[in-house]
Amino acid sequence: MTEPTLASWLQRLERLHPTEIDLGLERVSRVAGRLGLLQPAVPVLTVAGTNGKGSTVAVMEAALLDKGCRAGVYTSPHILRFNERIRVAGEEASDADICMAFAAIEGVRGETSLTYFEFATLAALYLFQRSKVEFILLEVGLGGRLDAVNIIDPTVAVITSIGLDHRDWLGQDREAIALEKAGILRPDAPAVIADPDPPASLIQAAQEGAAQLYLWGRDFELGASGGYLQRRDGSRLELPDLPPGALLPQNVAAALQALELAGIESEPARLPAVLSSVSLAGRRQSLSVAGREYLLDVAHNPESVAALLAYLDESPGSGKTLALFAVMSDKDIAGMLGLAGKHFDAWFLASLPGVARGEDAERVAALLRDAGEHMISVSRNPCQALRRAQGVMAVGDRLVIFGSFYTVGGVLPSLYKDLEKTR
């Protein structure tokens, strides 16, 4: 009998559970217990937040690799391949290993139904255990308190910026959302808070839960003129200037602070090399093809779009700046478009066919027209929108591709092919 491929496994997992999102720890904990995964024998660093989780994890991974440490890293969602979600010692998990993990989970779950994300989380933990990693880095998928990764007690918890996203599940304001993020904190364990203006509910929850608080601006900081990290013994580690780049200072500093608390001391002299090695697809990823720039960013809420626009202002292009935008229907679309204002000379909008919550491009176009925008093209998918944008781009122009992981994932293969043709 032919063994299932990774593609067939993923197709099955998408249909296995009645809902895409089913927050709660009871089912996934039960299966994790049967696999012996609930108490890893190595330090675990868990990262929650609205924006900045992926880059914070990426900095920690790069720093651990620089130290020669074998790290297991779990992130979500992926952009091109499911394998991106699970990495061991800097390498993506193979199809064969992921299929082996899925088979092990299937063999013990019995009548317990699991979501796609829960299967993925258990597969990562299973492979980390088998690979004998020295550190585990876990990125929360949604919220924190009821997210599948929260079945594992973190050695250090990190909470990045908190914004208004996933409000149908997490709450309608930052105070409510912060309480969900605070669910990853544990008594007597360090809690690194990277939000420069953390909601009062987050601080109160940390204090009431007896977490050891480390706050941006008080215990750690990093900027153009250097910074510092607070050590457990009360001393401060001075850091050099932050090298120029797309990484936000608070995420870099939070990553280094978390590693310090997990026993990995930073070497300031190595910081520029470590950060220059960080490569994160779809996070202000810049590609140059035939003299035209393509800037890809998975920004999908007002806070992340504001950060993207600030980056554009700091790094203006020499020609026109165009937008390729496709988005999920449950996002604050009006808020994102309102911020974009007059940053773009033209809009190339796309629908997201086959994506359950994908917004129709015509509805986005109507919002832009109401705001006074007239240079608008509507396409049936991101790839078609890309080709239409390329049809009007001249040397020196920049196309900014944003709105969703699906948007970036929808155009990257085509851009990589274009890049290969020019080599």
Side-chain angles (χ1 to χ4, degrees):
M1 181 176 177
T2 304
E3 293 293 326
T5 64
L6 178 56
S8 63
W9 265 113
L10 295 177
Q11 290 171 1
R12 181 167 183 265
L13 299 187
E14 289 172 350
R15 302 188 300 265
L16 187 63
H17 198 71
T19 58
E20 177 188 4
I21 298 173
D22 188 1
L23 297 177
L25 303 182
E26 193 275 332
R27 290 174 297 101
V28 68
S29 292
R30 184 189 311 142
V31 180
R34 293 171 186 168
L35 291 166
L37 302 177
L38 288 172
Q39 295 181 318
V42 300
V44 177
L45 295 91
T46 301
V47 182
T50 304
N51 299 307
K53 299 188 296 292
S55 57
T56 301
V57 170
V59 171
M60 290 195 290
E61 181 182 19
L64 287 169
L65 289 172
D66 187 66
K67 288 277 190 178
C69 296
R70 189 174 174 81
V73 181
Y74 175 57
T75 61
S76 65
H78 61 274
I79 293 180
L80 297 179
R81 299 174 304 279
F82 180 89
N83 312 62
E84 298 167 20
R85 297 180 181 228
I86 305 172
R87 296 190 297 280
V88 174
E91 299 293 332
E92 292 178 3
S94 68
D95 286 13
D97 282 347
I98 296 171
C99 290
M100 174 186 64
F102 285 160
I105 297 163
E106 184 69 9
V108 302
R109 73 176 181 87
E111 298 299 315
T112 302
S113 181
L114 298 171
T115 66
Y116 180 102
F117 182 79
E118 289 165 344
F119 247 96
T121 303
L122 291 172
L125 295 172
Y126 181 85
L127 292 178
F128 296 160
Q129 185 183 78
R130 285 182 60 91
S131 301
K132 295 181 170 54
V133 299
E134 299 169 279
F135 283 84
I136 293 176
L137 308 180
L138 300 176
E139 179 187 348
V140 168
L142 179 62
R145 180 175 63 93
L146 298 176
D147 188 85
V149 305
N150 203 33
I151 62 173
I152 305 298
D153 291 330
T155 309
V156 181
V158 181
I159 297 180
T160 62
S161 68
I162 296 174
L164 300 177
D165 203 357
H166 300 298
R167 283 183 284 185
D168 289 345
W169 290 281
L170 305 180
Q172 294 301 310
D173 54 39
R174 290 181 77 235
E175 297 292 330
I177 293 170
L179 284 177
E180 293 298 319
K181 312 291 185 187
I184 70 168
L185 307 183
R186 297 295 192 271
D188 301 319
V192 178
I193 310 299
D195 192 315
D197 182 27
S201 61
L202 175 59
I203 303 303
Q204 182 178 350
Q207 292 171 340
E208 291 178 352
Q212 302 171 19
L213 269 175
Y214 287 76
L215 300 175
W216 167 264
R218 186 192 77 179
D219 302 301
F220 64 96
E221 195 169 61
L222 185 58
S225 58
Y228 56 87
L229 304 176
Q230 191 74 35
R231 285 186 157 149
R232 275 181 160 170
D233 63 6
S235 65
R236 277 189 174 185
L237 173 68
E238 299 300 323
L239 297 175
D241 296 352
L242 177 64
L247 293 170
L248 294 181
Q250 58 264 37
N251 297 331
V252 173
L256 298 176
Q257 179 67 81
L259 288 176
E260 283 275 330
L261 294 167
I264 297 296
E265 293 189 2
S266 299
E267 297 180 34
R270 293 292 305 160
L271 182 59
V274 168
L275 296 184
S276 66
S277 72
V278 175
S279 177
L280 206 57
R283 278 76 162 189
R284 297 187 202 166
Q285 179 184 3
S286 180
L287 298 174
S288 180
V289 182
R292 290 127 176 109
E293 182 190 0
Y294 299 88
L295 184 66
L296 302 104
D297 198 299
V298 295
H300 55 274
N301 54 52
E303 291 79 11
S304 57
V305 168
L308 171 61
L309 297 174
Y311 178 76
L312 294 178
D313 290 339
E314 294 165 4
S315 309
S318 60
K320 299 189 299 296
T321 300
L322 314 175
L324 193 165
F325 183 75
V327 67
M328 305 292 277
S329 61
D330 57 350
K331 301 300 179 182
D332 184 359
I333 302 172
M336 288 186 270
L337 298 180
L339 287 170
K342 300 300 179 182
H343 277 81
F344 301 107
D345 297 296
W347 288 83
F348 292 83
L349 306 177
S351 297
L352 294 171
V355 178
R357 292 177 285 126
E359 180 59 285
D360 184 82
E362 288 289 0
R363 284 197 283 267
V364 179
L367 291 173
L368 283 172
R369 293 188 188 103
D370 289 344
E373 296 286 347
H374 300 292
M375 300 296 289
I376 302 169
S377 169
V378 176
S379 297
R380 61 178 178 269
N381 58 55
C383 193
Q384 184 184 64
L386 172 66
R387 295 312 185 202
R388 288 178 173 174
Q390 288 175 321
V392 302
M393 290 176 73
V395 172
D397 287 351
R398 168 193 275 173
L399 179 64
V400 182
I401 300 159
F402 70 109
S404 170
F405 280 83
Y406 292 104
T407 311
V408 172
V411 302
L412 259 181
S414 295
L415 285 175
Y416 285 150
K417 287 180 183 178
D418 292 345
L419 196 57
E420 281 300 314
K421 292 176 183 177
T422 64
R423 290 176 176 169

